[in-house]
């Protein structure tokens, strides 16, 4: 038991060090970008001169050295205080993130589930019938998906399904008169607005995951224990699902762990194109306004998701491969 706690503490310590390094680099990089949060409040105001700019910089603490600014920000972060936004309504950063989080999280979770439901069966089938018609067709479709930029596909579908054939809405989260709709009508209205964004999310990830699944499955099918299982007369279904699939899921688990940070990063373009009020759009607006507290709040959330994804991948390894759990038990 003591060895387990020691490993957990070492892991948590390492996560803390990595997180601190991410915040230091991020804080330094965003201050290297040209512009300042005071530009929008002074440059566009003909009555605001140099004195007004200096007063704003003093108010926001931008007149202090960079390491002092980082220290003050880190002190607030220890108390889970992300500070207040420097642009717009000057509301607390966490309140603005909390409002946008459910939409982005929901879209990405839906996309992740659809990706798994599509990519895993396609990859397994392509590996099982290697060289067959399904394998060749899926390979062509996958490479088309690789070569097609998400933003281009989004604009193309908006033109086809939103303008040429107005089947789906192409902007916003709700339609006009949303408040006067019944609950089922409101649910369907929101669903229609999210069909295209979720489809773009899914199309950009299932292709790569299916290729990983196919390669991993082919590698597993070459192993000696698979040949032994077949020699014992086990059915193809048992060999495929009981012996091969579980071991072939290891690289997919890795991809899933690394996909968690896409809750923010991958949402910027799609949410900006479809004008969806999510974290991606909020982060883009914060960057354009040089809103340092809001940028750092979004980056901290991304860092936490990245580290959490790695930890979840480690847990997933143990669930998918019993040999890892056995090795840990022996080390104790």
């Amino acid at each position: 038991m003591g060895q387990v706690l020691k490993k957990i503490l070492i892991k948590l310590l390492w996560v803390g060090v990595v997180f601190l390094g991410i915040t230091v680099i991020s804080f330094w990089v965003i201050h290297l970008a040209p512009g300042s949060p005071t530009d929008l409040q002074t440059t566009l105001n003909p009555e605001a001169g140099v004195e007004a700019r200096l007063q704003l910089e003093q108010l926001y603490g931008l007149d202090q050295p960079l390491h002092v600014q980082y220290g003050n920000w880190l002190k607030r972060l220890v108390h889970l205080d992300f500070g207040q936004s420097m642009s717009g309504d000057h509301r607390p950063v966490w309140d603005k993130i909390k409002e946008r989080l459910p939409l982005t999280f929901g879209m990405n979770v839906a996309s992740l589930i659809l990706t798994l439901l599509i990519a895993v069966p396609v990859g397994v089938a392509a590996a099982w019938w290697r060289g067959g018609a399904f394998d060749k067709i899926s390979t062509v479709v996958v490479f088309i998906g690789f070569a097609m930029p998400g933003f281009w596909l989004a604009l193309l579908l908006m033109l086809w399904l939103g303008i040429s054939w107005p089947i789906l809405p192409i902007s916003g989260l709700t339609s006009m008169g949303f408040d006067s709709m019944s609950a089922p009508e409101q649910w369907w209205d929101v669903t229609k607005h999210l069909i295209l964004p979720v489809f773009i999310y899914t199309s950009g990830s299932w292709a790569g995951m299916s290729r990983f699944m196919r390669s991993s499955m082919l590698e597993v099918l070459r192993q000696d224990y698979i040949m032994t299982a077949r020699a014992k007369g086990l059915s193809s279904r048992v060999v495929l699902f009981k012996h091969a699939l579980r071991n072939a899921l290891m690289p997919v688990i890795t991809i899933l762990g690394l996909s968690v940070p896409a809750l923010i990063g991958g949402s910027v373009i799609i949410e900006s194109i479809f004008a969806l009020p999510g974290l991606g759009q909020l982060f883009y607006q914060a960057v354009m306004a040089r809103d340092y507290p809001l940028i750092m709040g979004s980056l901290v959330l991304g860092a936490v998701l990245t580290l959490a994804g790695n930890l979840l991948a480690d847990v997933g390894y143990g669930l998918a491969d019993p040999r890892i759990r056995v090795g840990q038990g022996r080390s104790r």
Side-chain angles (χ1 to χ4, degrees):
M1 189 66 180
Q3 291 293 331
V4 176
L5 292 176
K6 183 179 179 180
K7 289 183 178 181
I8 293 176
L9 290 176
I10 293 175
K11 186 71 174 180
L12 292 177
L13 179 62
W14 176 246
V15 168
V17 172
V18 173
F19 175 78
L20 189 63
I22 292 174
T23 60
V24 171
I25 296 174
S26 300
F27 198 89
W28 176 64
V29 169
I30 64 174
H31 282 79
L32 289 179
S36 172
T38 60
D39 289 345
L40 294 178
Q41 303 177 47
T42 57
T43 304
L44 301 179
N45 187 356
E47 299 182 358
V50 178
E51 184 177 353
R53 179 189 294 268
L54 294 176
Q55 289 178 351
L56 286 174
E57 290 180 352
Q58 185 177 8
L59 176 64
Y60 295 145
L62 300 176
D63 58 332
Q64 300 176 348
L66 191 59
H67 67 278
V68 176
Q69 296 182 43
Y70 175 76
N72 294 333
W73 176 84
L74 193 60
K75 290 178 182 177
R76 293 194 300 268
L77 183 63
V78 171
H79 297 89
L80 300 179
D81 179 13
F82 291 94
Q84 291 184 325
S85 173
M86 293 182 179
S87 61
D89 50 11
H90 300 282
R91 294 171 56 207
V93 169
W94 177 243
D95 289 347
K96 302 183 77 168
I97 292 177
K98 188 168 55 176
E99 291 176 355
R100 308 287 188 108
L101 183 60
L103 175 61
T104 302
F105 182 79
M107 286 194 301
N108 280 271
V109 168
S111 172
L112 192 59
I113 294 174
L114 291 175
T115 298
L116 289 174
L117 293 177
I118 297 173
V120 172
V122 169
V124 171
W128 189 255
W129 292 295
R130 180 184 180 185
F134 182 85
D135 186 23
K136 294 177 181 178
I137 294 174
S138 64
T139 299
V140 173
V141 174
V142 163
F143 278 107
I144 292 176
F146 271 129
M148 190 177 298
F151 69 89
W152 182 82
L153 179 60
L155 296 175
L156 190 64
L157 292 178
M158 291 171 70
L159 176 63
W160 285 351
L161 302 179
I163 299 177
S164 300
W165 300 285
I167 301 174
L168 296 172
I170 59 176
S171 179
L173 185 60
T174 58
S175 302
M176 296 181 61
F178 178 80
D179 294 334
S180 60
M181 299 179 183
S182 62
E185 291 175 339
Q186 289 180 345
W187 179 86
W188 176 239
D189 183 65
V190 173
T191 302
K192 287 193 300 183
H193 281 81
L194 296 180
I195 289 177
L196 285 180
V198 172
F199 177 79
I200 300 300
Y201 277 125
T202 306
S203 65
S205 56
W206 81 268
M209 189 171 292
S210 66
R211 286 290 93 182
F212 274 102
M213 191 68 213
R214 178 183 181 274
S215 300
S216 179
M217 179 61 71
L218 286 175
E219 183 66 25
V220 170
L221 291 176
R222 298 190 190 102
Q223 300 299 317
D224 293 338
Y225 64 88
I226 297 296
M227 298 180 183
T228 303
R230 286 175 171 174
K232 289 181 178 180
L234 297 178
S235 65
S236 298
R237 182 177 180 180
V238 174
V239 173
L240 179 62
F241 292 102
K242 185 175 181 180
H243 297 280
L245 181 58
R246 190 170 187 176
N247 292 288
L249 285 175
M250 298 297 290
V252 176
I253 293 174
T254 304
I255 297 176
L256 288 177
L258 298 177
S259 298
V260 176
L263 291 173
I264 297 179
S267 306
V268 175
I269 297 177
I270 302 302
E271 290 181 3
S272 299
I273 292 176
F274 290 98
L276 294 172
L279 283 177
Q281 186 190 68
L282 181 67
F283 182 70
Y284 173 77
Q285 294 171 350
V287 171
M288 292 296 101
R290 301 298 186 271
D291 192 340
Y292 296 151
L294 190 52
I295 295 174
M296 285 302 301
S298 301
L299 291 176
V300 164
L301 182 58
V304 171
L305 291 175
T306 302
L307 297 173
N310 291 330
L311 292 176
L312 290 175
D314 290 341
V315 174
Y317 287 153
L319 295 176
D321 192 345
R323 293 172 298 179
I324 296 178
R325 298 197 299 269
V326 173
Q328 292 176 347
R330 289 176 179 174
S331 65
R332 292 194 294 268

